[in-house]
Amino acid sequence: MFQDPPGGGRAVAVWSIGVAVYFVAVIFRTSLGVAGLDAADRFHVNASALATFSLLQLLVYAGMQIPVGLMVDRLGTKKVLTLGAVLFTVGQLGFALSPSYGMALAARALLGCGDAMTFISVLRLGTRWFPARRGPLMAQLAGLVGMAGNLVSTLVLAPVLHGVGWTAAFAGSAVAGLVVLVPLVLFLRDHPEGHGPAPVQRGSGGSVGSGGSGGFVRRQIRESWAEPGTRLGLWVHFTTQFPAMVFLLLWGMPFLVEAQGLSRTTAGGLLTLVVASNMALGLVYGQAVGRRQSARIPLALGTVGLTALLWAAVLAYPGDAAPMWLLITLCLVLGGCGPASMIGFDFARPANPPERQGTASGITNMGGFIASMTTLLTVGVLLDATGDNYRIAFSTVFVLEALGVSQILRLRRRALAREAEPERVSRACPLPDAAGREGP
């Protein structure tokens, strides 16, 4: 019988190291969001080419999710996190020093590759070090820390960029990657003693890179995807995450400055409001889901519906610009997208055994980033095609939300019925172990 990890102070310390790496990765990931207009001037590119920066970064990120999940399941958290930290630090430094658009693209791709290795690793740390009943809260807390990294980009990197210039700002921020590498290498452990994962089943080939390794990969993906909970998790993540991701990662600042006529300072304040709302709502969503699993679908669909309503109100508002109170409300609602996307992992987690958690999390995590990539590119293309008509360009949001909602409604009954089966209930809520500790 699977026994819950003990949690406690050491678990918090180890988990905090992993979360610090993710925190820095998010700073680097979102740094372009406050530098989009500067990047366009520096590299002399239009809206479509500017969108390619974020698109390529997210394409690499999304494409790496299943490989990273497999790596975490096979190699463990520490090795994957260490490699990720090295890659995103080199990518950020390369972006600072890039003299051309092509080299800057390559640097963002490298950054995206390293960034892709962080969040799934942190989720794995949470499941290995904390009791299962803490899973939803630990996932939301990890997301909250990530949004704090976004906040640093908005509040710190933006004024530094305008104060000391492009190269100094981005190269200086790369030092943070070196700072988190030290405790990661010295102190992080994959799991508490006595709570290691089950031995990896090897095929007849026996060694990594052989036919046995290929069999492991195919089995992990096939069995994870076969679970309705994994697929439902992917579509929940797909539908909820991308409106805020697109807004914060690239198009929020240009939309607020060019379409709504706000100053950069005011626009930066609204981006900060999205992040602050995300951090506050993350705690609320985590507690709600942790206490009542039946709240997952209503929270996810409610967030999608409210987001669509506010975007429609802003885009359809008569006149050249929406009033400030409506933009503030939009930003507050966008803050719920990140916490709602974390609900996807709460469907994938109980659907898969511990040895498959990394792969299942990788599949789930692809959803929102596929949607974000699609929207980033489509908005850029439509802006160029329509002469910067943001109302038409941002209408893409409604198309993807409608697609995602249809898939959630299609999969929800099957996933919930599968989750209610006895073996999955016992996995999500372990029985008391030999020492008498209660499961969640």
Side-chain angles (χ1 to χ4, degrees):
M1 177 66 68
F2 171 70
Q3 295 181 2
D4 253 356
R10 189 181 178 203
V12 172
V14 171
W15 180 80
S16 297
I17 294 172
V19 168
V21 177
Y22 176 55
F23 172 76
V24 174
V26 174
I27 294 176
F28 293 177
R29 178 201 304 169
T30 58
S31 57
L32 186 60
V34 298
L37 297 176
D38 299 88
D41 292 337
R42 178 179 176 86
F43 300 111
H44 310 291
V45 294
N46 61 14
S48 297
L50 181 60
T52 304
F53 274 123
S54 296
L55 178 66
L56 178 62
Q57 182 181 333
L58 291 183
L59 178 63
V60 172
Y61 187 105
M64 285 291 294
Q65 289 309 292
I66 292 178
V68 167
L70 291 164
M71 289 170 64
V72 170
D73 287 337
R74 172 75 79 162
L75 303 176
T77 303
K78 182 173 182 175
K79 292 179 181 178
V80 177
L81 262 183
T82 302
L83 177 60
V86 171
L87 290 177
F88 68 59
T89 300
V90 173
Q92 185 77 343
L93 182 60
F95 193 58
L97 303 176
S98 294
S100 66
Y101 176 69
M103 291 186 65
L105 277 177
R108 295 306 286 187
L110 191 63
L111 192 157
C113 186
D115 181 19
M117 299 182 180
T118 58
F119 186 63
I120 293 176
S121 298
V122 171
L123 289 179
R124 178 63 170 255
L125 279 179
T127 61
R128 289 298 186 196
W129 281 91
F130 293 94
R133 68 180 182 276
R134 301 296 185 195
L137 181 59
M138 301 313 296
Q140 290 287 357
L141 287 174
L144 187 151
V145 172
M147 291 308 297
N150 202 325
L151 197 63
V152 169
S153 292
T154 305
L155 295 181
V156 178
L157 185 59
V160 169
L161 176 65
H162 298 141
V164 303
W166 180 279
T167 301
F170 280 97
S173 68
V175 175
L178 300 176
V179 171
V180 295
L181 262 175
V182 176
L184 169 59
V185 172
L186 294 179
F187 303 115
L188 190 133
R189 298 293 179 267
D190 286 350
H191 51 76
E193 187 175 353
H195 290 268
V200 173
Q201 299 272 341
R202 295 179 185 266
S204 58
S207 61
V208 175
S210 68
S213 177
F216 167 80
V217 169
R218 289 191 296 272
R219 185 177 64 252
Q220 289 286 95
I221 296 174
R222 182 180 64 250
E223 293 179 356
S224 296
W225 184 254
E227 293 291 344
T230 305
R231 300 198 300 276
L232 178 59
L234 179 147
W235 283 107
V236 168
H237 200 267
F238 176 101
T239 313
T240 54
Q241 187 203 46
F242 80 93
M245 174 70 72
V246 169
F247 196 78
L248 289 171
L249 198 60
L250 183 61
W251 291 122
M253 181 70 76
F255 170 73
L256 294 172
V257 173
E258 296 178 353
Q260 300 300 312
L262 303 180
S263 67
R264 288 196 182 197
T265 301
T266 304
L270 288 176
L271 294 180
T272 304
L273 183 60
V274 177
V275 178
S277 174
N278 184 299
M279 296 174 70
L281 291 174
L283 295 175
V284 176
Y285 279 49
Q287 290 287 354
V289 173
R291 293 179 179 179
R292 181 172 295 182
Q293 293 285 286
S294 60
R296 291 175 294 178
I297 291 292
L299 276 175
L301 292 180
T303 302
V304 173
L306 198 56
T307 302
L309 177 65
L310 265 298
W311 261 122
V314 169
L315 296 179
Y317 196 87
D320 294 333
M324 180 58 68
W325 66 265
L326 186 54
L327 294 175
I328 290 174
T329 306
L330 171 66
C331 290
L332 289 173
V333 170
L334 286 175
C337 292
S341 72
M342 302 301 293
I343 295 173
F345 298 102
D346 294 318
F347 287 108
R349 187 184 305 111
N352 294 273
E355 63 271 17
R356 225 165 50 217
Q357 290 293 323
T359 306
S361 295
I363 292 173
T364 299
N365 207 29
M366 286 178 62
F369 290 93
I370 291 173
S372 296
M373 284 190 300
T374 303
T375 309
L376 280 170
L377 178 60
T378 305
V379 168
V381 170
L382 289 176
L383 285 175
D384 286 339
T386 61
D388 293 336
N389 189 321
Y390 280 89
R391 291 183 175 180
I392 295 176
F394 273 107
S395 296
T396 310
V397 171
F398 307 118
V399 178
L400 268 68
E401 285 187 328
L403 172 62
V405 167
S406 69
Q407 294 301 311
I408 292 172
L409 295 177
R410 183 178 69 86
L411 288 166
R412 74 187 193 284
R413 286 194 180 90
R414 197 183 322 166
L416 294 176
R418 180 79 164 152
E419 190 178 292
E421 294 176 0
E423 66 271 19
R424 282 161 178 75
V425 173
S426 65
R427 181 186 303 151
C429 301
L431 298 175
D433 63 19
R437 291 187 295 266
E438 292 184 1

